[in-house]
């Protein structure tokens, strides 16, 4: 007969599946009860409205959180995708003259209401100069953005990207949504996929 050469007793081995669910399979009765609870239809119009309001509230809460953190999953469709994320970062990483627009508009209003004709002319000059600088800044933004998009995303369509970038650049930095994820002057990553 065969003799065991090892003096250790034989222990039964249990095969645990990697990635198993970690709990027992529910019985048919439990599964049916859970399915009925999930499929429970509100009986009254009031219950239905409350359920819809709760679902909308949950969705809007997730969307607001995504606007703060930049989470792609819950962003609106217009802000999703690597191209849009690059445009946001591109606009947010550069200094924009729009940041100076509000103080300059206040100065031009004060000068316009001062009563003196020279001050009114100075106020108008400040106003029109500000507007010209902003238009020039947006034109330069368009050319630089198109060049970067052609380099980084050659296969992607660029329709609507200029308007998206211009609208974002016309907002004050602290009012932009989704919130800026980069600082002014920060170097952007090469890949956004």
């Amino acid at each position: 007969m065969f003799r065991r050469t090892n003096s250790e007793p034989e222990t039964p081995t249990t095969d645990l599946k990697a990635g198993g669910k970690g709990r027992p399979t529910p019985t048919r009765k439990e599964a049916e009860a859970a399915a009925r609870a999930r499929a429970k239809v509100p009986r009254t119009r009031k219950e239905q409205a409350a359920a819809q309001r709760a679902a909308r509230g949950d969705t809007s809460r997730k969307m607001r959180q995504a606007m703060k953190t930049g989470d792609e999953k819950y962003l609106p469709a217009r802000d999703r995708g690597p191209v849009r994320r690059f445009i946001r970062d591109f606009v947010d990483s550069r200094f924009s003259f729009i940041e100076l627009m509000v103080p300059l508009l206040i100065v031009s209003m004060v000068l316009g209401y001062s009563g003196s004709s020279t001050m009114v002319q100075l106020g108008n000059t400040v106003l029109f100069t500000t507007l010209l600088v902003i238009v020039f800044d947006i034109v330069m933004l368009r050319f630089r953005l198109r060049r970067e998009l052609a380099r980084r995303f050659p296969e992607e369509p660029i329709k609507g990207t200029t308007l998206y970038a211009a609208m974002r650049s016309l907002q004050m930095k602290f009012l932009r949504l989704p919130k800026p994820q980069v600082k002014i002057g920060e170097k952007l990553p090469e890949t956004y996929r």
Side-chain angles (χ1 to χ4, degrees):
M1 294 241 197
F2 295 103
R3 284 194 172 175
R4 183 179 287 178
T5 57
N6 193 353
S7 62
E8 296 175 12
E10 192 173 319
T11 57
T13 59
T14 56
D15 292 331
L16 293 176
K17 287 173 58 175
K21 62 186 174 190
R23 58 178 171 76
T25 303
T27 64
R28 177 182 217 133
K29 186 176 180 182
E30 292 169 347
E32 288 174 352
R36 274 193 303 276
R38 282 192 305 269
K40 184 179 178 185
V41 179
R43 289 181 288 191
T44 64
R45 211 173 59 140
K46 193 173 184 179
E47 287 178 0
Q48 185 177 12
Q52 288 175 347
R53 192 169 35 254
R56 273 195 315 267
D58 186 46
T59 303
S60 64
R61 183 184 53 75
K62 288 178 182 174
M63 193 174 288
R64 278 193 307 273
Q65 186 64 27
M67 287 293 207
K68 291 178 185 173
T69 61
D71 182 15
E72 292 276 327
K73 186 177 180 184
Y74 296 109
L75 284 177
R78 65 161 194 197
D79 294 322
R80 283 191 201 134
V83 174
R84 296 299 172 122
R85 190 174 61 162
F86 170 72
I87 292 171
R88 287 194 304 270
D89 288 350
F90 185 81
V91 170
D92 295 338
S93 68
R94 61 189 285 278
F95 176 76
S96 178
F97 287 102
I98 196 71
E99 301 289 330
L100 303 174
M101 184 175 158
V102 172
L104 289 175
L105 287 177
I106 292 172
V107 167
S108 69
M109 282 177 45
V110 168
L111 292 174
Y113 289 119
S114 67
S116 171
S117 65
T118 57
M119 292 295 182
V120 171
Q121 288 177 345
L122 182 63
N124 288 340
T125 304
V126 168
L127 176 66
F128 290 123
T129 305
T130 303
L131 292 176
L132 284 175
V133 168
I134 288 172
V135 168
F136 178 74
D137 187 40
I138 289 176
V139 169
M140 293 305 295
L141 169 70
R142 179 191 185 274
F143 286 118
R144 289 182 184 142
L145 179 66
R146 290 280 176 123
R147 185 176 57 222
E148 282 295 313
L149 286 174
R151 184 176 72 83
R152 291 174 186 248
F153 305 99
E155 297 89 26
E156 297 287 331
I158 56 172
K159 184 178 179 182
T161 56
T162 301
L163 182 62
Y164 185 76
M167 295 310 290
R168 186 159 180 93
S169 71
L170 287 176
Q171 298 169 354
M172 300 292 281
K173 188 162 183 161
F174 64 91
L175 294 175
R176 293 176 184 165
L177 287 177
K179 293 284 185 193
Q181 303 295 316
V182 296
K183 293 182 172 49
I184 292 177
E186 187 174 326
K187 189 171 178 355
L188 300 178
E190 282 298 316
T191 58
Y192 274 85
R193 305 248 173 215

